[in-house]
PDB file of all heavy atoms in Angstrom:
ATOM      1  N   ASP E 633      38.775 -89.014 -31.227  1.00 88.00           N
ATOM      2  CA  ASP E 633      37.505 -89.169 -30.520  1.00 88.00           C
ATOM      3  C   ASP E 633      37.421 -88.328 -29.257  1.00 88.00           C
ATOM      4  O   ASP E 633      36.385 -87.754 -28.941  1.00 88.00           O
ATOM      5  CB  ASP E 633      37.232 -90.642 -30.201  1.00 88.00           C
ATOM      6  CG  ASP E 633      38.372 -91.293 -29.461  1.00 88.00           C
ATOM      7  OD1 ASP E 633      39.471 -90.701 -29.411  1.00 88.00           O
ATOM      8  OD2 ASP E 633      38.171 -92.396 -28.929  1.00 88.00           O
ATOM      9  N   ASN E 634      38.532 -88.225 -28.498  1.00 87.00           N
ATOM     10  CA  ASN E 634      38.462 -87.488 -27.227  1.00 87.00           C
ATOM     11  C   ASN E 634      39.567 -86.460 -27.024  1.00 87.00           C
ATOM     12  O   ASN E 634      39.636 -85.835 -25.974  1.00 87.00           O
ATOM     13  CB  ASN E 634      38.456 -88.463 -26.057  1.00 87.00           C
ATOM     14  CG  ASN E 634      39.712 -89.316 -26.001  1.00 87.00           C
ATOM     15  OD1 ASN E 634      40.698 -89.027 -26.681  1.00 87.00           O
ATOM     16  ND2 ASN E 634      39.678 -90.370 -25.223  1.00 87.00           N
ATOM     17  N   GLY E 635      40.443 -86.281 -27.997  1.00 87.00           N
ATOM     18  CA  GLY E 635      41.479 -85.264 -27.910  1.00 87.00           C
ATOM     19  C   GLY E 635      42.853 -85.763 -27.525  1.00 87.00           C
ATOM     20  O   GLY E 635      43.838 -85.032 -27.666  1.00 87.00           O
ATOM     21  N   LYS E 636      42.968 -87.005 -27.062  1.00 82.00           N
ATOM     22  CA  LYS E 636      44.269 -87.503 -26.608  1.00 82.00           C
ATOM     23  C   LYS E 636      45.208 -87.782 -27.775  1.00 82.00           C
ATOM     24  O   LYS E 636      46.347 -87.319 -27.816  1.00 82.00           O
ATOM     25  CB  LYS E 636      44.086 -88.757 -25.749  1.00 82.00           C
ATOM     26  CG  LYS E 636      43.428 -88.495 -24.406  1.00 82.00           C
ATOM     27  CD  LYS E 636      43.361 -89.761 -23.573  1.00 82.00           C
ATOM     28  CE  LYS E 636      42.752 -89.490 -22.213  1.00 82.00           C
ATOM     29  NZ  LYS E 636      42.696 -90.717 -21.372  1.00 82.00           N
ATOM     30  N   ARG E 637      44.726 -88.573 -28.737  1.00 84.00           N
ATOM     31  CA  ARG E 637      45.577 -88.891 -29.883  1.00 84.00           C
ATOM     32  C   ARG E 637      45.851 -87.652 -30.722  1.00 84.00           C
ATOM     33  O   ARG E 637      46.956 -87.477 -31.259  1.00 84.00           O
ATOM     34  CB  ARG E 637      44.913 -89.976 -30.741  1.00 84.00           C
ATOM     35  CG  ARG E 637      45.077 -91.380 -30.200  1.00 84.00           C
ATOM     36  CD  ARG E 637      44.364 -92.416 -31.059  1.00 84.00           C
ATOM     37  NE  ARG E 637      42.943 -92.464 -30.783  1.00 84.00           N
ATOM     38  CZ  ARG E 637      42.075 -93.238 -31.446  1.00 84.00           C
ATOM     39  NH1 ARG E 637      42.503 -93.992 -32.445  1.00 84.00           N
ATOM     40  NH2 ARG E 637      40.799 -93.253 -31.120  1.00 84.00           N
ATOM     41  N   SER E 638      44.853 -86.782 -30.848  1.00 89.00           N
ATOM     42  CA  SER E 638      45.046 -85.582 -31.665  1.00 89.00           C
ATOM     43  C   SER E 638      46.023 -84.608 -31.014  1.00 89.00           C
ATOM     44  O   SER E 638      46.748 -83.890 -31.708  1.00 89.00           O
ATOM     45  CB  SER E 638      43.705 -84.895 -31.934  1.00 89.00           C
ATOM     46  OG  SER E 638      43.008 -84.640 -30.739  1.00 89.00           O
ATOM     47  N   ALA E 639      46.073 -84.581 -29.676  1.00 87.00           N
ATOM     48  CA  ALA E 639      47.065 -83.739 -28.996  1.00 87.00           C
ATOM     49  C   ALA E 639      48.469 -84.245 -29.286  1.00 87.00           C
ATOM     50  O   ALA E 639      49.382 -83.467 -29.579  1.00 87.00           O
ATOM     51  CB  ALA E 639      46.796 -83.718 -27.495  1.00 87.00           C
ATOM     52  N   SER E 640      48.651 -85.569 -29.204  1.00 81.00           N
ATOM     53  CA  SER E 640      49.959 -86.148 -29.529  1.00 81.00           C
ATOM     54  C   SER E 640      50.321 -85.877 -30.980  1.00 81.00           C
ATOM     55  O   SER E 640      51.480 -85.592 -31.304  1.00 81.00           O
ATOM     56  CB  SER E 640      49.945 -87.656 -29.257  1.00 81.00           C
ATOM     57  OG  SER E 640      49.759 -87.929 -27.889  1.00 81.00           O
ATOM     58  N   ALA E 641      49.326 -85.963 -31.878  1.00 85.00           N
ATOM     59  CA  ALA E 641      49.572 -85.720 -33.302  1.00 85.00           C
ATOM     60  C   ALA E 641      49.983 -84.274 -33.550  1.00 85.00           C
ATOM     61  O   ALA E 641      50.897 -83.998 -34.338  1.00 85.00           O
ATOM     62  CB  ALA E 641      48.328 -86.067 -34.111  1.00 85.00           C
ATOM     63  N   ALA E 642      49.316 -83.338 -32.885  1.00 89.00           N
ATOM     64  CA  ALA E 642      49.651 -81.927 -33.058  1.00 89.00           C
ATOM     65  C   ALA E 642      51.065 -81.649 -32.571  1.00 89.00           C
ATOM     66  O   ALA E 642      51.830 -80.917 -33.219  1.00 89.00           O
ATOM     67  CB  ALA E 642      48.651 -81.051 -32.302  1.00 89.00           C
ATOM     68  N   PHE E 643      51.444 -82.229 -31.438  1.00 83.00           N
ATOM     69  CA  PHE E 643      52.791 -82.043 -30.919  1.00 83.00           C
ATOM     70  C   PHE E 643      53.813 -82.626 -31.889  1.00 83.00           C
ATOM     71  O   PHE E 643      54.847 -82.012 -32.173  1.00 83.00           O
ATOM     72  CB  PHE E 643      52.922 -82.712 -29.547  1.00 83.00           C
ATOM     73  CG  PHE E 643      54.175 -82.351 -28.808  1.00 83.00           C
ATOM     74  CD1 PHE E 643      54.234 -81.226 -28.003  1.00 83.00           C
ATOM     75  CD2 PHE E 643      55.313 -83.147 -28.899  1.00 83.00           C
ATOM     76  CE1 PHE E 643      55.387 -80.889 -27.320  1.00 83.00           C
ATOM     77  CE2 PHE E 643      56.470 -82.821 -28.220  1.00 83.00           C
ATOM     78  CZ  PHE E 643      56.509 -81.689 -27.418  1.00 83.00           C
ATOM     79  N   LEU E 644      53.513 -83.807 -32.431  1.00 79.00           N
ATOM     80  CA  LEU E 644      54.416 -84.458 -33.389  1.00 79.00           C
ATOM     81  C   LEU E 644      54.607 -83.578 -34.625  1.00 79.00           C
ATOM     82  O   LEU E 644      55.727 -83.413 -35.115  1.00 79.00           O
ATOM     83  CB  LEU E 644      53.842 -85.821 -33.767  1.00 79.00           C
ATOM     84  CG  LEU E 644      54.657 -86.739 -34.687  1.00 79.00           C
ATOM     85  CD1 LEU E 644      54.302 -88.194 -34.388  1.00 79.00           C
ATOM     86  CD2 LEU E 644      54.368 -86.447 -36.157  1.00 79.00           C
TER      87      LEU E 644
END
Side-chain angles (χ1 to χ4, degrees):
D633 54 347
N634 61 13
K636 291 184 178 181
R637 280 178 280 176
S638 53
S640 296
F643 191 87
L644 184 152

